[in-house]
Amino acid sequence: MQYTELGKTGITVSKLGLGGAPIGGDFSDITDPKAIEVIHAALDLGVNFFDTAPLYGRGESERRFGIALKGRRENIVLATKAVMRGDSYSYDNTIQCVEESLQRLQTDYIDLIQLHEAECTTYEEAMEGTMAAFLKLKEQGKVRAIGVNAGQTELLIPYIKSGKIDTIQTFSKYMLIDHTAKDELIPLAKKMNVGVINGSPLGMGVLADAPAPFLLKNTALLAEAEKRKEQISFLRKTEPKGLIEPAMRFSLSHPNIAVTLTGTTSLNSLKKNARYCDGRGLTEDEQRRVYELFDQRPLH
């Protein structure tokens, strides 16, 4: 396992992190024992960064992380988010949301608290409400670092420029068939010493030849994705789901991505993804070809 610093936080993180949506049962049913087994396996593989949210399983993901990590808190970096989808990004609601997360996680502090789904609020509302609450919680020692999460990369730009955040997280925006985060977002984050967390390097299962159920109705997106996958067939390995390894290495080897998240409840997949965290990425020629194929061409 490789490790790096998370932006300017001084926090050491594993380059591979475990995402919490599957732990909450958002993609398929999972029992408490199975979730705990996966979390413990990640720890044994050297993963120390765990990313969850109240939204995942409506609190079930956080509750399961709380059970699994009890007694091992000093060895991990725990990240969660606020607020719950549909709730207000107000100061008071954010404070309450974080306090409830602390209870479910069975901890008295969170290493990284992130504003969840910046698409669901405005920059002004977020800064006056949720971000102000985060800063207060940081003063109180209940959080160590502050971040923002969004699927639309342009929404993260003003937060980075504000100088008030430590990390950003986006998803499916630095992957083999859509790497638009490399054009402005990642360079700006590097300039401002903001840590980058890259979610869904497999494009919500698209690059694993198993799109997430919620994507199945988006036939236009899936059709375009299949065209792009055909264009990168030169990367495909011979084993089943042969784009997973190059996709993971593409993200894990980027020097300015601190953490690449894997969302899985499969021990086999978890172990394979950990093996890809060895510093070896695509060849220079492969990287160049991928960049040229979809330059400034978002998939979504």
Side-chain angles (χ1 to χ4, degrees):
M1 182 58 59
Q2 291 187 306
Y3 300 88
T4 189
E5 283 201 2
L6 186 61
K8 57 181 176 288
T9 65
I11 299 172
T12 299
V13 292
S14 52
K15 293 278 286 184
L16 182 70
L18 182 65
I23 298 297
D26 283 1
F27 301 115
S28 61
D29 291 339
I30 182 173
T31 64
D32 280 8
K34 179 63 176 177
I36 292 166
E37 181 185 28
V38 171
I39 295 167
H40 286 172
L43 281 166
D44 292 342
L45 290 165
V47 173
N48 79 341
F49 187 89
F50 299 90
D51 180 78
T52 183
L55 179 65
Y56 304 154
R58 307 297 292 184
E60 281 296 276
S61 178
E62 288 185 324
R63 184 185 65 81
R64 286 166 171 158
F65 274 113
I67 295 170
L69 298 173
K70 190 172 183 180
R72 307 176 77 165
R73 183 68 181 88
E74 70 280 1
N75 300 319
I76 63 158
V77 179
L78 191 55
T80 192
K81 308 176 184 77
V83 294
M84 183 81 80
R85 184 181 295 165
D87 289 348
S88 165
Y89 288 79
S90 67
Y91 181 94
D92 289 343
N93 193 55
T94 301
I95 295 290
Q96 180 180 346
C97 183
V98 175
E99 292 291 352
E100 291 171 353
S101 290
L102 287 167
Q103 292 177 21
R104 286 190 291 265
L105 291 166
Q106 300 189 48
T107 184
D108 55 4
Y109 72 97
I110 292 164
D111 295 287
L112 173 64
I113 188 66
Q114 302 159 93
L115 184 147
H116 202 183
E117 298 183 327
E119 293 88 346
C120 296
T121 184
T122 65
Y123 177 75
E124 292 74 20
E125 179 187 46
M127 295 303 288
E128 293 175 5
T130 293
M131 295 301 293
F134 286 173
L135 290 168
K136 184 62 176 180
L137 290 163
K138 190 174 183 180
E139 287 180 14
Q140 296 172 344
K142 293 184 177 180
V143 303
R144 296 176 65 192
I146 295 170
V148 181
N149 161 285
Q152 299 174 27
T153 57
E154 65 272 14
L155 295 179
L156 296 168
I157 300 298
Y159 291 100
I160 298 174
K161 291 181 176 178
S162 75
K164 295 184 180 296
I165 66 169
D166 302 297
T167 71
I168 53 165
Q169 182 181 155
T170 190
F171 52 92
S172 300
K173 291 299 185 291
Y174 189 80
M175 60 173 180
L176 291 175
I177 54 175
D178 181 346
H179 38 70
T180 45
K182 81 179 191 313
D183 300 323
E184 181 180 10
L185 186 69
I186 294 176
L188 179 62
K190 179 185 178 183
K191 179 181 177 182
M192 298 294 289
N193 202 11
V194 168
V196 176
I197 301 164
N198 189 34
S200 198
L202 300 181
M204 302 295 182
V206 169
L207 290 172
D209 302 325
F214 63 84
L215 288 179
L216 297 180
K217 293 182 179 180
N218 196 335
T219 55
L221 181 147
L222 291 178
E224 175 62 21
E226 288 304 312
K227 290 179 183 178
R228 296 189 181 199
K229 286 165 64 178
E230 183 61 31
Q231 289 177 276
I232 59 167
S233 59
F234 62 91
L235 294 174
R236 188 179 284 274
K237 304 298 182 181
T238 56
E239 64 267 20
K241 301 181 183 293
L243 285 175
I244 292 179
E245 179 176 350
M248 292 301 297
R249 290 190 180 280
F250 182 67
S251 179
L252 285 164
S253 63
H254 194 295
N256 299 321
I257 291 177
V259 180
T260 295
L261 295 176
T262 178
T264 184
T265 56
S266 163
L267 294 178
N268 186 50
S269 293
L270 181 63
K271 291 173 183 177
K272 285 183 177 179
N273 289 340
R275 288 203 297 269
Y276 305 147
C277 194
D278 57 7
R280 184 164 60 88
L282 307 185
T283 67
E284 288 186 14
D285 181 63
E286 290 170 339
Q287 184 103 349
R288 176 189 57 78
R289 291 175 68 183
V290 169
Y291 279 167
E292 288 177 352
L293 277 170
F294 314 118
D295 188 37
Q296 298 184 350
R297 291 172 54 200
L299 176 65
H300 296 278

